[in-house]
Amino acid sequence: EDQVTQSPEALRLQEGESSSLNCSYTVSGLRGLFWYRQDPGKGPEFLFTLYSAGEEKEKERLKATLTKKESFLHITAPKPEDSATYLCAVQAYFGNEKLTFGTGTRLTIIP
Amino acid sequence: DAEITQSPRHKITETGRQVTLACHQTWNHNNMFWYRQDLGHGLRLIHYSYGVQDTNKGEVSDGYSVSRSNTEDLPLTLESAASSQTSVYFCASSAPRLAGAYNEQFFGPGTRLTVL
């Protein structure tokens, strides 16, 4: 059974204080690892897809990296508007196209 | 711009009533999904569809049904609502995997359902 574990559950940072969020996964053949951002009362918003170990993708202050067992979402010099819950999900290579999600990391950036 | 919409955004109903949640997408995606989101569980798949007349059960499908009569819509029906079905429901859509390297799912804004 595919499984995704995210840590920490919650993270509070001062504005400008860089950090990383972790996503550990087990999947029967990784097709893709997805990062989403979710604001309160809204649906998840797609950020990145990573397909193979060693791959990195960047968007503004966010950079996602992937190894064979985990992914990191690095946040550099965050701003208050980066406050959100960040969700990680995996899609298996074989079988249906569903995503298996972790429970998310709730990030708060304090001005 | 293409989008995915859900209605209603909020719904309160009573135990035992039938409830239908609407999902409409203008991406022209073949794949559509219904998830529920609960504290401590993350997003869990209820049902999904790969195209018109195709429906499949997800991991938490008991008490729910879907039908797909066109590409744009995948309504979710709770046959007899139960308090355990109080949750936030999200609809999502994606292009078929064969269409290219990227088949990320795009999500709607959600429906908050309360069953009393």
Side-chain angles (χ1 to χ4, degrees):
Chain A
E1 184 180 327
D2 303 337
Q3 208 162 11
V4 177
T5 303
Q6 292 188 246
S7 61
E9 288 187 14
L11 182 63
R12 290 170 63 88
L13 299 172
Q14 291 292 134
E15 184 173 359
E17 180 185 1
S18 302
S19 188
S20 297
L21 313 183
N22 178 263
C23 171
S24 299
Y25 66 90
T26 56
V27 63
S28 53
L30 180 69
R31 172 69 171 84
L33 185 140
F34 301 79
W35 281 99
Y36 285 84
R37 170 192 170 124
Q38 186 175 24
D39 292 300
K42 296 191 176 181
E45 175 188 345
F46 171 73
L47 291 172
F48 304 109
T49 309
L50 302 167
Y51 291 99
S52 57
E55 189 175 1
E56 298 184 353
K57 289 199 176 167
E58 288 188 63
K59 181 179 180 179
E60 296 182 0
R61 294 174 293 281
L62 301 176
K63 182 169 81 171
T65 62
L66 181 65
T67 73
K68 288 188 176 180
K69 294 183 179 180
E70 57 192 352
S71 177
F72 292 94
L73 185 65
H74 306 278
I75 302 174
T76 302
K79 298 182 178 181
E81 53 263 41
D82 295 322
S83 296
T85 296
Y86 290 85
L87 303 173
C88 173
V90 296
Q91 186 180 63
Y93 203 88
F94 301 105
N96 66 46
E97 300 195 30
K98 74 163 189 170
L99 297 179
T100 300
F101 281 86
T103 52
T105 293
R106 188 173 66 254
L107 177 66
T108 304
I109 308 300
I110 304 162
Chain B
D1 285 348
E3 61 178 356
I4 181 165
T5 57
Q6 295 183 235
S7 61
R9 295 295 315 280
H10 302 271
K11 174 78 176 178
I12 301 174
T13 191
E14 295 178 345
T15 301
R17 291 190 179 264
Q18 184 180 77
V19 177
T20 297
L21 309 183
C23 174
H24 179 81
Q25 53 99 1
T26 59
W27 290 95
N28 199 34
H29 284 157
N30 285 343
N31 302 337
M32 295 185 73
F33 307 83
W34 274 104
Y35 294 87
R36 58 178 290 174
Q37 187 174 40
D38 305 285
L39 278 174
H41 287 280
L43 285 151
R44 292 180 291 174
L45 183 65
I46 305 171
H47 282 285
Y48 58 101
S49 168
Y50 290 146
V52 177
Q53 302 301 327
D54 176 73
T55 61
N56 306 278
K57 293 182 178 181
E59 59 183 302
V60 291
S61 60
D62 287 350
Y64 303 94
S65 64
V66 293
S67 61
R68 186 93 180 267
S69 59
N70 59 51
T71 300
E72 296 80 20
D73 299 287
L74 186 69
L76 177 71
T77 297
L78 286 68
E79 304 294 344
S80 177
S83 57
S84 60
Q85 294 176 310
T86 293
S87 186
V88 181
Y89 291 86
F90 289 99
C91 180
S93 71
S94 70
R97 190 178 292 186
L98 295 177
Y102 298 101
N103 72 328
E104 60 269 15
Q105 293 181 17
F106 295 94
F107 284 78
T111 294
R112 181 174 295 277
L113 177 68
T114 302
V115 183
L116 301 175

